[in-house]
Amino acid sequence: MEISTLATYHCLAFVWYFFVAYSITHVKTEERPSEVFLYGGQWKYLTVLNLVLQAVFYGVSFLADVLRLIKKLRCAKCIISSRDLLFSVLAFPVSTFVCISFWTLYTYNRELVYPKSLDGVIPLWLNHAMHTAVLPFALLEILALPHRYPAKKKGLILLGFVAFLYISWVLWIYSVTGEWVYPLFALFNPPGLAAFFAGSLAIIVAFYNFGEFLNRMIWGQSKFS
């Protein structure tokens, strides 16, 4: 794909994610169900954090494209390294996890992850923007250009560290409020919850490996932008 076309795509994707993140963080207070968006606001939900992550990623990608267009190749090289690290370790596996885990649990019992009371607050388009569109965007990014993956050990350590931070944030919210971020967590005793978190981490690691596999199958080992 031509650099100018990539720049346009990344700019539009950045604007889209910024708009979606803005939309969900500006839900009117008086319209919110009493059990939602209390301590920690929207920032306790992985879905919302992922929107911010995607906006940052596409912003960095757009900046890298612009630097390449104006021939600032030394600066572009550094930004491209950051872009590839963001995509490989976080943007792709988290988006894939958000989409697949949400719709799997929603199909099983929506009250565990997205109570029916939210239907009157969050429009259908916004629900799909947060939970559905993120996966096609991630796949399109892999098709659009190659990404350099870090050494496997480094990538998994970074991914595990971010997962640890989010789990710590979830546990901290529970310790303060006595309420779980997602009703699903209330179904488990402590060992069961630990096993659930470990299983979720294993799944997101599998998505990391899947992204690396797709990138290698499409672009090979040697071609990088």
Side-chain angles (χ1 to χ4, degrees):
M1 190 179 292
E2 295 292 331
I3 298 176
S4 57
T5 305
L6 278 174
T8 302
Y9 162 65
H10 285 143
C11 181
L12 291 175
F14 168 74
V15 171
W16 166 252
Y17 274 113
F18 183 87
F19 169 70
V20 174
Y22 177 87
S23 298
I24 191 61
T25 55
H26 284 76
V27 173
K28 293 181 180 179
T29 304
E30 62 270 19
E31 295 179 353
R32 301 173 183 175
S34 60
E35 73 273 15
V36 178
F37 302 157
L38 297 178
Y39 186 87
Q42 293 94 332
W43 309 111
K44 59 188 174 184
Y45 297 108
L46 184 61
T47 295
V48 178
L49 295 175
N50 181 54
L51 294 176
V52 176
L53 168 65
Q54 301 305 318
V56 170
F57 165 71
Y58 283 105
V60 170
S61 298
F62 176 61
L63 177 59
D65 297 335
V66 170
L67 290 173
R68 293 173 67 198
L69 283 171
I70 62 176
K71 307 301 183 182
K72 299 289 186 180
L73 299 182
R74 181 174 297 181
C75 295
K77 184 177 180 180
C78 178
I79 300 300
I80 287 172
S81 296
S82 300
R83 178 202 71 188
D84 289 347
L85 189 65
L86 268 174
F87 180 76
S88 61
V89 175
L90 295 176
F92 182 84
V94 174
S95 286
T96 307
F97 180 81
V98 165
C99 179
I100 293 179
S101 63
F102 175 83
W103 288 113
T104 299
L105 292 169
Y106 185 99
T107 301
Y108 173 71
N109 182 355
R110 65 169 298 176
E111 295 298 319
L112 297 177
V113 289
Y114 194 84
K116 193 172 180 60
S117 57
L118 288 177
D119 286 346
V121 179
I122 299 176
L124 182 62
W125 74 264
L126 186 53
N127 181 21
H128 283 292
M130 294 187 297
H131 298 116
T132 308
V134 292
L135 181 54
F137 266 104
L139 293 172
L140 182 58
E141 179 66 21
I142 283 186
L143 293 172
L145 74 163
H147 296 82
R148 187 182 297 276
Y149 273 66
K152 182 62 68 69
K153 182 178 179 180
K154 177 183 178 182
L156 293 181
I157 288 175
L158 288 174
L159 179 58
F161 177 70
V162 173
F164 171 78
L165 289 179
Y166 180 68
I167 291 171
S168 298
W169 175 227
V170 168
L171 295 176
W172 171 258
I173 291 172
Y174 178 75
S175 71
V176 172
T177 67
E179 299 289 337
W180 288 110
V181 171
Y182 297 103
L184 169 69
F185 297 158
L187 300 178
F188 299 103
N189 58 22
L193 189 62
F196 177 83
F197 285 146
S200 297
L201 179 58
I203 292 172
I204 203 169
V205 166
F207 291 147
Y208 170 92
N209 290 326
F210 179 61
E212 185 177 29
F213 169 79
L214 287 179
N215 187 73
R216 185 173 63 250
M217 290 298 99
I218 295 170
W219 298 103
Q221 296 282 7
S222 59
K223 184 180 178 182
F224 295 96
S225 65

